[in-house]
Amino acid sequence: MKRAFWTALSFLAGDVQADRSVPPTGFTARLTLFTAAAMALLAVFALSLSLASARLAARWSDDLAQSSTLRISAPAEQMAAQTAAALEVLRTTPGIASARALTQEEEQALLTPWFGPDLPLGALPIPQLIEINEQGGGYDATGLRARLQAEVPGAVLDDHTRWREPLVAAAGKLRGLGALAIVLIGASTAAMITLAAQSALSANAQVIRVLRLVGARDSYIARAFVRRFTLRALSGAAVGTLLGAVLVALLPGGAQGGDSFLTGIGFSGGDWLWLVLIPPLTAAVAFAATRGAARRMLERQS
């Protein structure tokens, strides 16, 4: 533990003589900083997408799993009797916490987005809807359908299974796409930093030869490049992460996580802690990429 601490401290402190072989400014410095900042910004949005998809899948699964709908289609003169019979069946069914018939105003509100506010419900054969709320492990859907078929012939039970599973699967795929985007961002970051490190090593080939003449080892020279590019990537990623966090926080409804997917994109609670990992992970990617590039380039220049 103590040795690792002093190694990390020595890496951060660097070596003045070795650092002279790495240009502190210029094209490679700007490229590294810009790449790290841009990729960190994209990683924030990809992480937000992935977490929002996970929350949405859990919300849809929980909400739809604990609710069902009973639809009664019957002649107008039999509607009230069949509705009362259905409510009695539901009241005596284990696993059902409550059941209530929707009012005409509530059914009007459900149909308004599809048919407009002027739909004449009284002139149309609109079925009666009954909202069912489950409790515990839920009810036996097969047994309930059998009872309803015998006592309420016009009733059709919808336990939302056909709606829940595709929605949850779609949200899961979105989460997977977010994770894939993060992986691709990391790979792109490594590629860009590798190119920047190779460019810097090529531009400073003369300095590297002089260092070798005075006895510097390749590991000594490579450490200077790795340190400089790692710290540049860390700084750029910190700026990009901060900017991404601000932009996500400014999204409408981003911190409230409503039912809409677009207004649910964002971070809430402990999700913000994930952002702390982006700069050090970017620095780790830069460390590995620069170290590999430095070793390959120094071997070619030997």
Side-chain angles (χ1 to χ4, degrees):
M1 181 72 71
K2 184 180 293 186
R3 182 178 180 181
F5 171 77
W6 285 111
T7 300
L9 186 62
S10 175
F11 178 80
L12 293 175
D15 185 280
V16 176
Q17 296 298 326
D19 284 349
R20 291 178 180 175
S21 62
V22 185
T25 59
F27 171 74
T28 58
R30 292 192 296 271
L31 178 61
T32 304
L33 289 171
F34 174 77
T35 298
M39 293 303 176
L41 177 65
L42 294 177
V44 171
F45 283 99
L47 183 61
S48 175
L49 171 65
S50 182
L51 293 174
S53 300
R55 289 195 303 269
L56 195 62
R59 189 180 308 121
W60 281 343
S61 180
D62 294 342
D63 291 348
L64 294 178
Q66 295 298 317
S67 65
S68 304
T69 303
L70 187 66
R71 185 178 73 252
I72 301 176
S73 299
E77 63 273 10
Q78 299 179 17
M79 185 68 75
Q82 291 205 25
T83 300
L87 289 172
E88 180 61 24
V89 170
L90 296 174
R91 187 183 66 81
T92 58
T93 300
I96 294 181
S98 63
R100 71 177 187 89
L102 270 62
T103 64
Q104 189 175 22
E105 290 76 15
E106 290 174 321
E107 291 190 349
Q108 175 85 46
L110 290 175
L111 295 174
T112 295
W114 304 96
F115 301 102
D118 300 325
L119 181 67
L121 290 183
L124 297 176
I126 302 298
Q128 175 64 60
L129 299 180
I130 297 178
E131 181 184 55
I132 302 172
N133 294 316
E134 305 173 24
Q135 64 181 358
Y139 58 86
D140 179 10
T142 303
L144 178 58
R145 285 190 175 96
R147 288 187 61 190
L148 289 170
Q149 187 176 7
E151 302 183 35
V152 190
V156 178
L157 178 65
D158 182 4
D159 60 2
H160 297 166
T161 300
R162 62 173 180 168
W163 302 102
R164 181 174 69 250
E165 292 178 354
L167 288 174
V168 173
K173 290 179 180 179
L174 282 174
R175 184 181 183 183
L177 288 175
L180 177 61
I182 293 175
V183 173
L184 293 177
I185 288 170
S188 301
T189 302
M192 293 297 294
I193 293 178
T194 297
L195 292 175
Q198 290 175 346
S199 176
L201 285 161
S202 298
N204 289 268
Q206 184 64 37
V207 177
I208 292 173
R209 282 194 290 269
V210 172
L211 289 173
R212 282 172 170 167
L213 289 175
V214 297
R217 295 184 177 182
D218 285 353
S219 59
Y220 176 83
I221 301 171
R223 192 181 304 118
F225 279 89
V226 171
R227 173 183 174 276
R228 182 65 63 83
F229 277 85
T230 299
L231 293 182
R232 287 173 182 169
L234 180 64
S235 302
V239 173
T241 301
L242 180 60
L243 180 59
V246 172
L247 293 177
V248 169
L250 293 177
L251 289 176
Q256 297 175 3
D259 293 332
S260 171
F261 176 73
L262 292 178
T263 58
I265 295 180
F267 302 98
S268 61
D271 290 347
W272 290 99
L273 296 177
W274 286 101
L275 299 183
V276 180
L277 299 178
I278 294 179
L281 287 177
T282 304
V285 169
F287 176 88
T290 308
R291 187 177 183 183
R295 287 182 174 180
R296 289 191 299 270
M297 291 296 294
L298 290 172
E299 287 176 0
R300 293 176 187 174
Q301 295 176 5
S302 297

